[in-house]
Amino acid sequence: MIKKEHFGTMPGGREISLFTLDNGRISASVSDLGALLVRLFVPDKNGEMEDIVLGYDSGEEYLDNPHCIGAVVLPVANRTKDASLVIDGAEYHLPANEGKNNLHSDKASFITMCDVADQGEDFITFVQTRADMEDGLPGDRRFETTYTLLADGLRIDYHVTSTRASYINPTNHSYFNLAGASGGNVGSQDLRIFASAYTPIGNEMIPTGEIRPVRGTAFDFLESKPIGRDIESGDPQLVLANGYDHNFVIDGYKGDGTLLPVACAQDPASGRVLTVSSTMPGVQLYTANFTDIANGKNGVHYRPGGAFCLETQFFPDNIHHDNFAHSVFGGDTELRSATIFGFSVSE
């Protein structure tokens, strides 16, 4: 059975709950606040359990901080140029919360309470709704997020419907450290990304529309290498972002819902291995370049480079680039996608 516990209180008095799925090998705790992934305990090569995602100790701390750690970011993850877009000839506006652009919709739009739509011994489904023109986008929208604990991993399924065509691109924004949430810099942890190309960014951190091969560059993760090996290489793209904050183009994507390998990360010291697979065409690698949080779990200070994110997604700002698959859904079309975080150990 799922364990439910008190995790905080909303300003209006509504209780925030934490739900723990545990199969004796992996334990995942998720909240009805923003469908947050709060804790994820997995074993190392000696069987020692450690929480490998960054976060906070209470729901109130998530509300008080501007970060989207562990949240399901919706309706639109990542950056949108000029915080505006056109669908079917009509112009819509998101909040301009990063200069003149938009980043991750708006905190108020994803750190909100969810309802529990369904649950069982190994899964729980959260539902959030948005009214037409709420957060600036059209359509009465329903966002379902289902966490399912697998024998060796955690699966996240998204199902989104809208009464009108709308811009929709959800992701989970968990910060991983395979040495443990308090494990320090992740530069020595190894990463492979199954992507032969990435989408370069301009001065405002938004993709230019180019799809550039990774081979022979600092963005070449086709073979496993330490995350930090090339981060100080002086590559102009890394200088712009102060590290990796880029979308990678997943090899083999056809848009037919097939789960494809996305990435594989490993901590040589603990032996923990994370494999990511998804039905989405892209993944954002972010190396916590600007993360400086003094009040993490158990009072730990999270510093820049202390985690990595692998955010499966449609390409950022896809609505403005004809060569990117557009994430517009509504009416007769709906979004269904899945991402699996699998875990194992190496010697």
Side-chain angles (χ1 to χ4, degrees):
M1 295 294 293
I2 296 176
K3 176 185 176 182
K4 178 181 177 181
E5 60 187 289
H6 178 78
F7 193 54
T9 305
M10 293 291 288
R14 180 174 172 177
E15 180 180 17
I16 303 169
S17 298
L18 194 67
F19 302 84
T20 298
L21 306 164
D22 191 333
N23 61 14
R25 174 176 170 77
I26 298 171
S27 172
S29 297
V30 295
S31 177
D32 54 5
L33 174 63
L36 289 158
L37 176 58
V38 177
R39 303 172 193 147
L40 185 56
F41 282 87
V42 299
D44 68 5
K45 60 187 177 183
N46 298 314
E48 297 295 323
M49 302 293 287
E50 192 75 48
D51 184 4
I52 63 165
V53 294
L54 277 58
Y56 300 103
D57 290 321
S58 70
E60 288 90 347
E61 289 173 284
Y62 283 94
L63 292 170
D64 291 342
N65 288 279
H67 308 280
C68 51
I69 290 178
V72 171
V73 181
L74 54 85
V76 181
N78 221 301
R79 293 177 171 87
T80 301
K81 185 174 178 59
D82 296 329
S84 67
L85 56 129
V86 175
I87 300 175
D88 295 337
E91 187 171 2
Y92 301 97
H93 298 275
L94 291 161
N97 58 10
E98 190 179 63
K100 66 178 182 179
N101 304 309
N102 175 266
L103 174 62
H104 295 323
S105 301
D106 185 63
K107 183 183 178 183
S109 73
F110 60 83
I111 301 294
T112 58
M113 290 299 296
C114 308
D115 293 320
V116 176
D118 196 8
Q119 61 180 303
E121 290 188 359
D122 59 359
F123 77 93
I124 187 166
T125 300
F126 297 112
V127 171
Q128 302 181 59
T129 58
R130 298 289 185 273
D132 184 46
M133 296 310 299
E134 188 176 354
D135 55 40
L137 294 174
D140 293 323
R141 288 148 292 155
R142 175 184 171 90
F143 299 86
E144 290 186 5
T145 303
T146 299
Y147 288 97
T148 302
L149 194 65
L150 309 175
D152 57 357
L154 181 67
R155 176 175 173 133
I156 308 176
D157 285 275
Y158 304 100
H159 179 207
V160 186
T161 58
S162 175
T163 57
R164 299 170 62 193
S166 195
Y167 193 32
I168 296 169
N169 191 10
T171 193
N172 179 274
H173 206 308
S174 288
Y175 286 59
F176 292 96
N177 187 329
L178 298 180
S182 59
N185 193 280
V186 298
S188 63
Q189 296 180 23
D190 296 322
L191 178 64
R192 180 183 182 188
I193 303 177
F194 296 85
S196 300
Y198 77 106
T199 53
I201 57 174
N203 291 334
E204 295 176 313
M205 306 280 290
I206 297 173
T208 62
E210 178 187 359
I211 295 177
R212 184 181 295 177
V214 302
R215 183 67 73 183
T217 75
F219 292 82
D220 188 347
F221 286 92
L222 288 168
E223 296 175 359
S224 186
K225 69 178 182 182
I227 293 172
R229 192 185 77 181
D230 297 323
I231 210 164
E232 301 291 343
S233 65
D235 185 293
Q237 285 284 306
L238 295 176
V239 173
L240 272 175
N242 202 37
Y244 293 100
D245 192 2
H246 296 76
N247 171 70
F248 286 74
V249 180
I250 300 306
D251 290 339
Y253 176 77
K254 296 180 180 178
D256 60 359
T258 300
L259 279 163
L260 295 172
V262 170
C264 181
Q266 179 179 345
D267 175 36
S270 69
R272 291 189 183 92
V273 177
L274 163 65
T275 58
V276 184
S277 56
S278 177
T279 62
M280 301 297 274
V283 63
Q284 187 88 1
L285 170 62
Y286 177 54
T287 46
N289 309 330
F290 302 100
T291 302
D292 190 4
I293 301 170
N295 61 326
K297 295 175 188 173
N298 302 311
V300 172
H301 190 161
Y302 300 142
R303 302 181 186 276
F308 61 89
C309 302
L310 292 167
E311 306 156 57
T312 55
Q313 60 184 1
F314 286 96
F315 299 174
D317 199 42
N318 64 75
I319 195 73
H320 291 128
H321 300 285
D322 291 339
N323 59 327
F324 292 176
H326 287 188
S327 57
V328 174
F329 298 91
D332 294 334
T333 63
E334 57 189 41
L335 169 66
R336 289 186 182 272
S337 70
T339 295
I340 296 177
F341 298 110
F343 300 99
S344 61
V345 293
S346 64
E347 296 301 326

